[in-house]
Amino acid sequence: MDRKAAASLKKALGWIRAGKVNNARRLLVEFLRTDPNNAQAWYLLSYTLEDTQRKQYALMQALQSEPRFQLALSRLAKLRGEPEKELPPNEPVATLPKATPEPAPDFVPITDAGAETEEPLRVEQSEGRRSFAKPARLFIFAISMLLLVFLILAGVPILLRGFPASAPSASATHSGSPTAFASSTPTRTATPTSEPTLVAAEIQPLDPETQAALDAIGQQVAALRGLPAASAVESALIPANEASLVLAGVYFDEGKAVELQSQEMIMRTLGLLGEADHLSDYELRRHTDPLGGFYVQVEGRIYLVGDSFAGALPYLYARLYGRALIASAHAQVEQAINGCSPFSDACRALRALVQGDASLAGDQWLQSHGTAEVQQAVDELTAEPSSGEQASPGFAAMDLNFPEQYGAALVEAAFGSGGWGGVDALYASPPVSSEQLLHAEKFSAGEVPAQMSEASFGPAFGSGWAELETGELGEWLTFLILAHGAASEAQLDEGLGAAAAAGWGGDQFQAYTRPSDAAVALAAHWVMDSEADAGQLGAALEMYVAVRFGEEASALGAGNCWAALGQRSCVYARGAEVLWLVGPDEIVVLQVMLTHFPQFQ
């Protein structure tokens, strides 16, 4: 162990002894992000966690790195209420370095000269994985509120669910400039029973001066991007109170409402949504630029939201025009991402490619042609929120910002090595998983997910069950389930959740519902890169399920199960595979395991 690492561990130990376990935990989690196989760090981390399951998980990670670690073996046995395990004599034992005399805790301190004295490291938004851009608060606030009012008046059922009955007021903004999203949690509202009647928003023609400015920006972006100008693209400047009508008219219909209901049931079962949360607002945001405005391919039209073409709207138009250029040059990609499910990991990767491309085109336009006034408006747009403002909570905000954040890194790397030709080459061989975006080296190496096409387990249930959806979670949604679920008390530390998901090699889930009582049966099956990775994911998943359900585990076959909240949730690990089964009772879970996953018995 080098001097700096030993100093960090010594500092963490000092904080533990001083009772400052939060400081120690932050330091150790940050340490483990750069050295995830350090057994001593995992061992010390177990003393900073409150939940017994999490302590055991940390000790299991320590023993995975150092199987002969006597201190970890003894502490793990103690936590499990088992007899203390001792290694046979004459066998090598992994221990922590001996310490200078201090009051003896039940672990051996780390010592090394030259411990640093800086402030504890903060665990927040590291590695770019957790941070996200600030979306357009005023724009989406208006969408949510006005679509709610419109749908109530028009009598559209089901779609009401995604919009709050009362929403926070938007902060004052520069006229015509998009701002970050307002924070809101969708709530359930009463649904009217009349037939839906969507009324198209009236699109007013642009004045000649605004149209000339848009035409000039379009030509500039096309020249920078190296693609032919998209002559068929139209533009519209619409007030905020019409944006909701446009989006709803394009993307919401009866079929979409049914689809969203199915996806909501799946996400509640996975723990990504609470009982009162819905996906309508999330679904609309998937079709907008993170900064506001949207491009509708079927209409060939860019919509800017504002009263006048001012503030940051020229920059936003450059981004959206870049999106239109991409749609023209790579129409099949645009069509694919417009119709795909949030449970398509390959689609999530494609969205990131397209958004990263459009963002870079907009940034280059801003650098080459943006005025000082536009630059200032953009700087204000992306500044940190003022006191009291927060980004949207839960998995949705992070998932919506995945394309912008990780797509930008992918595209900028390709541009840096090969210019726009290098970016265009990405469309011939695009990323196929969120894993390839989270780990650039895996994209470079061409590491693709394991192909999983498992037989449907629906027939085992008979006619009383109906299929909801089959899809994949990918590394990204696996991480969000573990670290950003709706039940805050069950969320794992981000470092632990990220490490558990990082060995992802492929997955598939199937979900069914029993209409008679709205019960859900779900099987999520992961193939990890190695047996060690499967053990890590299995342990993390068990910890997540145990805290979420709040019950003691019981054995069912070779797995551990928890029964609560009207569900039976079981986790199995075998070799490099992990299986998570959820059903309304033990019989349903056994049916699925015995008929389709007998290897986990």
Side-chain angles (χ1 to χ4, degrees), residues 47-298:
Y47 286 88
T48 71
L49 304 172
E50 296 180 0
D51 182 76
T52 301
Q53 292 276 352
R54 298 190 185 204
K55 292 177 182 180
Q56 293 181 27
Y57 174 81
L59 292 168
M60 290 168 63
Q61 297 306 306
L63 290 169
Q64 180 176 299
S65 299
E66 292 284 355
R68 315 298 302 169
F69 198 161
Q70 179 65 68
L71 293 170
L73 281 168
S74 298
R75 177 161 164 74
L76 183 60
K78 181 179 178 181
L79 290 171
R80 289 177 171 176
E82 301 171 351
E84 183 170 335
K85 298 178 181 179
E86 292 187 3
L87 297 172
N90 303 321
E91 290 273 350
V93 178
T95 62
L96 302 177
K98 292 185 178 180
T100 54
E102 293 191 42
D106 56 349
F107 57 90
V108 179
I110 313 290
T111 60
D112 197 293
E116 301 293 334
T117 58
E118 73 269 19
E119 289 300 309
L121 299 175
R122 293 176 60 84
V123 182
E124 51 185 41
Q125 318 301 341
S126 68
E127 303 177 26
R129 181 189 286 264
R130 325 294 172 223
S131 62
F132 44 90
K134 317 311 187 285
R137 274 188 298 271
L138 181 60
F139 170 49
I140 294 300
F141 167 71
I143 287 176
S144 299
M145 287 301 296
L146 291 165
L147 185 54
L148 171 63
V149 173
F150 168 74
L151 291 175
I152 291 174
L153 295 175
V156 179
I158 301 174
L159 301 183
L160 289 169
R161 294 180 173 180
F163 301 92
S166 61
S169 59
S171 57
T173 62
H174 192 289
S175 175
S177 299
T179 62
F181 283 111
S183 172
S184 63
T185 301
T187 55
R188 190 183 302 271
T189 55
T191 53
T193 57
S194 56
E195 291 298 316
T197 308
L198 289 176
V199 181
E202 183 178 357
I203 306 300
Q204 299 293 334
L206 298 172
D207 63 82
E209 183 179 356
T210 299
Q211 186 61 60
L214 295 177
D215 291 343
I217 293 173
Q219 293 172 2
Q220 292 162 352
V221 173
L224 287 168
R225 181 59 182 83
L227 292 174
S231 57
V233 173
E234 299 180 6
S235 303
L237 185 65
I238 56 176
N241 61 358
E242 291 185 3
S244 58
L245 307 184
V246 174
L247 279 169
V250 173
Y251 296 115
F252 276 173
D253 56 22
E254 185 177 353
K256 173 58 68 175
V258 173
E259 180 183 314
L260 288 181
Q261 278 189 309
S262 296
Q263 292 170 357
E264 287 168 1
M265 296 176 75
I266 295 169
M267 288 192 174
R268 289 193 190 99
T269 303
L270 294 170
L272 289 170
L273 285 183
E275 286 302 313
D277 295 335
H278 298 275
L279 288 178
S280 299
D281 185 56
Y282 165 83
E283 177 62 25
L284 281 185
R285 298 188 196 197
R286 290 175 70 217
H287 297 284
T288 67
D289 186 278
L291 300 179
F294 44 97
Y295 168 67
V296 178
Q297 184 191 26
V298 294

Side-chain angles (χ1 to χ4, degrees), residues 3 69 87 162 443-444 486 595:
R3 187 183 186 87
F69 198 161
L87 297 172
F443 178 66
S444 300
T595 58

